Amino acid sequence: MNERVWVNFKELRAKLKFEDVLQHYNVEVNRKGDQHQGPCPLPNHSGSRKSPSFSANLERGIFHCFGCGAKGNVLEFAALMAGVNPDDGDALRSVAVELQKRFVPQGTGTRKKAVSQPATPASKPPPVIMNAPLDFELKDLDAGHPYLLGRGLTHEIARHFGVGFCSRGVLKGRLAVPLHDAAGKLVGYAGRVVDDSTVTGENPRYRFPSRRERNGTIYEFRKTLFLYNGFRIKAPCDELIVVQGFPSVWWLTQHSFPWTVGLMGSDCSQEQAELIVNTVKPSGRLWLLPNGDKAGELLAQSFLPQVSAARFVRWLQLEEGQKPTDLAKEELKSCFTR
Ligand SMILES: [Zn+2]
């Protein structure tokens, strides 16, 4: 009864239909030719699930998400959906056995031998550490890069946030933005392209740290667990401005509104909503100042229901196409007067 099923991974991959596997995990298949495209279904996906960042080549059996950066073959996809590490051989094998049982009819060749032996207990998933503090710091970032100065940001503000152009390593050619958790520990860097015309599916506007494994431990990064600039704000405060991206935080700080935090996307997570509510006094007030676009609207839809019962909040709606960084100091001042 407890037989160890033989799995030929290569053959299994060839026989599995990606379409079946997607449906198995309740993903609605949206086929365009060979491709499926849709919101990312992976449980570890960070960021918006509203944009179609995920694509799978159904014929070649491979997938890629330009939102969270996950990619691989159909078996690795199944492992990620099952919440196990695809690099863990035993865990991957148990996922493969399940898929084989379900989707590859017996007698078609993958079940080559069945040796009677005690069942191996389902392997324990490796420990996962979220937002571990970094043990290094990027040096020699250029705080005077034209991207920053061209947007009216001063050297001082770039230095205050530790932002600068990176000419080495994985963030080479990008603006590196240090990210700190609520306790103020450096937990990673975001990398922003400095030329928006180079943005493609392979070269996203922002890069965040990717999942990595070291000594049997998985290190994950989740920007949804903290607020950008949140650690610099001393709670409880009377007023807090909430924006979408890094440049808005820099801009508002430069214009004497240092009590500004960024949500780093068009979603506000439950953790972020709690952090925000806890930063502001019960008698205080919140200003939501997202970009004047679809993403800004999505952010408001996600943010407002989560905080409006707990704190007084006002959504400052910008005109279509406008961003907080387009507002001069006087305009900003008039935004935040009662
Ligand atoms: Zn994803």
Side-chain angles (χ1 to χ4, degrees):
M1 181 178 129
N2 291 324
E3 59 186 27
R4 191 168 163 90
V5 181
W6 174 261
V7 183
N8 179 332
F9 284 90
K10 201 174 161 195
E11 206 173 304
L12 178 59
R13 278 210 310 269
K15 287 195 166 153
L16 276 178
K17 290 197 180 96
F18 211 134
E19 208 157 339
D20 291 342
V21 177
L22 285 167
Q23 278 159 353
H24 177 60
Y25 290 106
N26 296 319
V27 179
E28 200 181 314
V29 178
N30 175 23
R31 198 187 239 276
K32 276 185 199 133
D34 288 355
Q35 295 278 334
H36 154 83
Q37 235 173 37
C40 183
L42 298 170
N44 288 333
H45 177 80
S46 51
S48 170
R49 289 194 192 266
K50 282 154 196 149
S51 67
S53 60
F54 178 88
S55 62
N57 187 313
L58 303 173
E59 299 308 318
R60 293 172 61 204
I62 51 173
F63 74 97
H64 177 227
C65 170
F66 63 77
C68 61
K71 59 182 171 185
N73 63 47
V74 61
L75 281 177
E76 288 160 340
F77 170 79
L80 290 173
M81 289 303 288
V84 305
N85 175 10
D87 297 331
D88 175 341
D90 282 344
L92 185 67
R93 191 180 176 283
S94 56
V95 170
V97 168
E98 276 309 304
L99 291 175
Q100 175 167 285
K101 270 194 216 153
R102 184 173 283 266
F103 294 114
V104 182
Q106 282 188 30
T108 55
T110 51
R111 185 182 272 236
K112 282 195 179 142
K113 59 181 172 185
V115 185
S116 216
Q117 55 172 234
T120 42
S123 60
K124 230 172 90 205
V128 177
I129 298 182
M130 297 284 181
N131 296 353
L134 287 194
D135 50 12
F136 66 91
E137 225 175 284
L138 293 180
K139 302 272 185 228
D140 308 323
L141 297 178
D142 176 12
H145 190 270
Y147 174 88
L148 294 162
L149 302 182
R151 275 157 187 75
L153 293 159
T154 63
H155 263 95
E156 287 66 34
I157 212 73
R159 271 197 292 268
H160 174 72
F161 286 100
V163 181
F165 183 75
C166 188
S167 43
R168 278 188 289 208
V170 283
L171 292 184
K172 187 176 174 184
R174 288 174 175 258
L175 201 67
V177 182
L179 305 172
H180 300 82
D181 65 10
K185 292 209 178 77
L186 179 66
V187 293
Y189 285 86
R192 193 203 193 283
V193 296
V194 289
D195 177 0
D196 283 354
S197 70
T198 64
V199 172
T200 61
E202 294 297 309
N203 188 42
R205 181 166 286 117
Y206 283 100
R207 253 189 224 297
F208 285 92
S210 53
R211 189 177 191 269
R212 65 203 152 91
E213 184 176 357
R214 204 196 283 165
N215 302 328
T217 300
I218 308 285
Y219 292 88
E220 296 245 15
F221 174 81
R222 298 267 171 90
K223 64 181 161 69
T224 53
L225 296 181
F226 62 94
L227 303 164
Y228 180 64
N229 200 40
F231 77 101
R232 289 194 183 90
I233 292 163
K234 217 168 130 50
C237 58
D238 290 310
E239 287 184 81
L240 188 68
I241 302 166
V242 180
V243 296
Q244 247 166 306
F246 308 120
S248 296
V249 175
W250 306 333
W251 187 250
L252 269 83
T253 303
Q254 183 171 313
H255 291 93
S256 316
F257 299 97
W259 49 91
T260 301
V261 294
L263 287 172
M264 301 173 278
S266 55
D267 257 327
C268 175
S269 69
Q270 195 189 331
E271 289 86 357
Q272 288 174 320
E274 277 169 24
L275 284 169
I276 286 170
V277 167
N278 291 333
T279 303
V280 181
K281 286 180 188 166
S283 60
R285 64 165 62 199
L286 276 168
W287 308 94
L288 177 66
L289 181 60
N291 299 345
D293 58 14
K294 188 75 202 143
E297 235 168 83
L298 289 174
L299 180 64
Q301 283 164 17
S302 149
F303 178 79
L304 296 171
Q306 297 192 75
V307 299
S308 54
R311 293 293 181 272
F312 180 88
V313 53
R314 213 159 141 200
W315 175 15
L316 301 165
Q317 265 180 288
L318 294 180
E319 279 167 37
E320 183 66 33
Q322 213 178 25
K323 291 180 176 177
T325 49
D326 297 326
L327 303 180
K329 185 166 184 171
E330 286 311 309
E331 292 173 284
L332 287 170
K333 248 190 198 162
S334 67
C335 275
F336 306 120
T337 42
R338 306 169 187 235

